[in-house]
Amino acid sequence: RTDSTRVAREAQDEAREYITRQYGASYVPETPRQVSKKGAQDAHEAIRPTSVNRHPDAVKEYLSSDQYRLYRLIWQRFVASQMMPAVFDVVSVDISAADMIFRATGSTVKLQGFMKVYTEGKDDARVVADEELPPLPELTQGQALDLRKLVPDQHFTEPPPRYTEATLVRALEEKGIGRPSTYATIISTIQDRKYVELTEKKFRPTELGYIVTDQLVKHFPDIMDVQFT
């Protein structure tokens, strides 16, 4: 029931010792990571393992498959949160060919940091950040390159991706709608009432959902407003 990011000092100290022992001192920040979250339900700590030394593989035999996957996620995210950030070198190269300028961008990992333990999954694989691009070969200014092939490709503006459970919760958080204890109820209610269907992990509005929403917005504009609470 907590969305607090606060972690007890003894848990942080234990994590820092573990990270130093397993990965080396270069993966540990100078001061423990502590991020406060505005408006958080801060009566309890953030969700974390009781002890970082209880590695997921050590407790796997005592857990069901779902329990193990959940515990591993909590353990990895907690340990990663107490590690150094990842650092990338991002390089862009302008190449002139056929009276045009082509730009290539690539990246190399300078410091792996928390990615040694955990890399967050993505809801939309089409969105690629600069630091996720493959590295470019060594190039020098003015270097002549062999033109092997030109591939004409047209890109169209993509509509915003549909909400997944994770991105819907993130949107609710950003807009201050509900609390952590109500997110699961919200998500189950819109499905139970057949306002949306979960297809390929994405919410798609049903015809009923469109009709109900249109009527509510039309007749109750003051209440059907994100700013209303």
Side-chain angles (χ1 to χ4, degrees):
R1 289 176 61 88
T2 183
D3 59 344
S4 170
T5 53
R6 181 172 49 81
V7 176
R9 187 58 190 257
E10 57 265 31
Q12 287 186 315
D13 291 342
E14 187 183 65
R16 290 167 68 82
E17 288 173 17
Y18 178 88
I19 294 162
T20 303
R21 190 168 66 247
Q22 290 294 119
Y23 308 112
S26 63
Y27 285 87
V28 183
E30 284 186 25
T31 55
R33 312 292 292 275
Q34 193 69 276
V35 181
S36 60
K37 185 175 178 181
K38 188 178 178 182
Q41 294 187 155
D42 207 27
H44 304 282
E45 275 189 79
I47 296 168
R48 65 168 175 85
T50 50
S51 170
V52 75
N53 292 309
R54 291 193 178 95
H55 192 278
D57 291 344
V59 298
K60 186 176 183 179
E61 62 181 295
Y62 307 105
L63 305 175
S64 69
S65 174
D66 284 347
Q67 287 173 337
Y68 167 71
R69 288 162 62 195
L70 176 60
Y71 179 72
R72 185 181 63 184
L73 179 65
I74 293 169
W75 187 92
Q76 287 177 325
R77 289 191 65 131
F78 170 66
V79 174
S81 75
Q82 300 303 311
M83 296 175 74
M84 288 287 284
V87 179
F88 294 85
D89 276 337
V90 179
V91 178
S92 288
V93 179
D94 287 342
I95 303 163
S96 60
D99 298 323
M100 297 185 207
I101 299 291
F102 296 88
R103 173 163 292 174
T105 303
S107 69
T108 52
V109 179
K110 198 172 181 182
L111 176 68
Q112 207 170 4
F114 71 89
M115 290 172 59
K116 189 89 173 171
V117 173
Y118 176 75
T119 304
E120 193 171 38
K122 298 179 71 171
D123 292 311
D124 190 349
R126 298 172 300 176
V127 181
V128 180
D130 284 348
E131 61 266 23
E132 295 173 303
L133 295 167
L136 295 175
E138 287 290 329
L139 297 167
T140 57
Q141 190 169 353
Q143 179 180 346
L145 303 177
D146 292 331
L147 175 58
R148 294 184 180 178
K149 184 167 62 171
L150 275 180
V151 182
D153 198 3
Q154 188 172 9
H155 292 273
F156 295 94
T157 303
E158 296 276 355
R162 292 195 181 278
Y163 283 118
T164 62
E165 288 191 12
T167 56
L168 180 57
V169 168
R170 198 172 304 143
L172 293 172
E173 281 183 330
E174 288 172 357
K175 298 182 189 306
I177 300 169
R179 305 296 292 156
S181 55
T182 62
Y183 294 151
T185 309
I186 291 170
I187 287 171
S188 62
T189 298
I190 58 175
Q191 293 178 87
D192 293 344
R193 294 184 182 174
K194 309 290 189 223
Y195 296 152
V196 296
E197 293 173 341
L198 196 58
T199 309
E200 296 177 355
K201 297 185 177 180
K202 294 179 180 177
F203 289 117
R204 295 184 180 276
T206 61
E207 186 178 1
L208 175 64
Y210 278 119
I211 293 169
V212 170
T213 303
D214 289 345
Q215 293 301 314
L216 286 171
V217 171
K218 180 180 176 182
H219 296 289
F220 303 98
D222 293 342
I223 298 172
M224 300 308 295
D225 177 10
V226 171
Q227 301 303 317
F228 176 81
T229 178

